[in-house]
Amino acid sequence: MAFLLRRLAFYLAAFIAAATINFFLPRLMPGDPVRIMFSSAGAELPPESLQALKLTFGFVDGPLWQQYLTYLGSIFTGDLGRSIKYFPLPVTSVLGHALVWTVGLMGTATIISFALGTFLGIVAAWRRGSKFDVIVSIGAIFATSVPAVVTSLIVLFFFGFTLGWFPNGYAADPSLDPAFSFQYIGSVAYHGILPMITLCTVLVGGFTVTMRNNMINLLGEDYIVMARAKGLSDRHVMLWYAARNALLPTVSSLAIAIGTILGGSLVTEVVYNYPGLGNILYQAILARDYPVIQGQLLIMTATMLIANFIVDVSYVLLDPRLKGA
């Protein structure tokens, strides 16, 4: 219990620090969203309506510390304000709609990438020095090194424009009504293939390299040598002795990947015009939509901290020696 309380206090302090940065960061950006909206209306709005717009969106002139305390209070009450770009929708509705698409896309891609990368890393480490190991290692390092925007554009150009096998954007056919039907679900799956390929290509390399390095570090341990000396099969030693222990550090990589799910993949979603949290964040930055930007960053921060807390607890359950760390 003492360990859990220490970790909870640590992550609560980290969340408040992140929320503080989240408050000041948009305000350091040039431009005022209310004045941008007022200027875009031209001569249609009288000058006295500027103050009314500020009151509507909560941009009331006052000391910065007072705005900060009001902001912290709104976080813990769940009131994230109203979106400027998508007015009059509240921020929770805007992010909630995009959340479904991001969790479906990024969650599936993360699970597939983790399973495939872990398997490739295990086999490559067990067959270290073979052709399979060389091919997998080079491919994993190459996939990790290439920026996500380059991978997205290559996949889109080759499979979308050149071959024409898959749609070039959107999450589903715009002519279909969103409904729980085989036609609409099939359209969603069909439109999600290219983003899924892109995300899996970007993520699988990191899991492969991490698992391979962890396996190689354990293959020389005494208990691995003892297991082989007992005459156990290579598959049994590889999976139940080496891979089982090497998987523990890889959980940290999975936690980080899970933590970024709700943040979305900004580049991929923008390239494919996918209506997820990443695309919403990009549009909010362009519109200086402070409430949406702050709400999105809070979701990313909270999810990352929760995922890391779960990993800390899992580590203690698997290795009690870490309680005193």
Side-chain angles (χ1 to χ4, degrees), residues 181-221:
S181 61
F182 287 106
Q183 186 179 11
Y184 186 74
I185 295 176
S187 178
V188 171
Y190 183 53
H191 282 71
I193 290 178
L194 288 188
M196 189 74 65
I197 293 175
T198 301
L199 292 173
C200 288
T201 303
V202 173
L203 294 174
V204 73
F207 290 126
T208 302
V209 172
T210 302
M211 191 63 191
R212 179 184 179 275
N213 294 338
N214 294 337
M215 281 281 294
I216 291 177
N217 292 332
L218 293 178
L219 290 180
E221 296 291 335

Side-chain angles (χ1 to χ4, degrees), residues 237-324:
V237 175
M238 179 179 67
L239 295 178
W240 294 101
Y241 283 78
R244 187 177 182 180
N245 291 279
L247 190 63
L248 186 61
T250 312
V251 176
S252 299
S253 301
L254 178 61
I256 295 174
I258 293 176
T260 58
I261 286 178
L262 296 185
S265 179
L266 190 148
V267 172
T268 303
E269 292 183 357
V270 170
V271 169
Y272 293 100
N273 197 18
Y274 202 82
L277 291 174
N279 200 358
I280 291 294
L281 177 60
Y282 173 73
Q283 299 296 334
I285 293 174
L286 295 180
R288 302 293 192 272
D289 194 343
Y290 290 176
V292 172
I293 295 174
Q294 294 178 162
Q296 170 73 339
L297 295 179
L298 281 176
I299 289 177
M300 296 170 62
T301 302
T303 308
M304 185 73 70
L305 293 177
I306 291 173
N308 280 275
F309 177 74
I310 293 175
V311 170
D312 285 345
V313 175
S314 301
Y315 270 32
V316 172
L317 294 177
L318 295 173
D319 191 351
R321 295 174 300 176
L322 297 176
K323 289 182 179 179

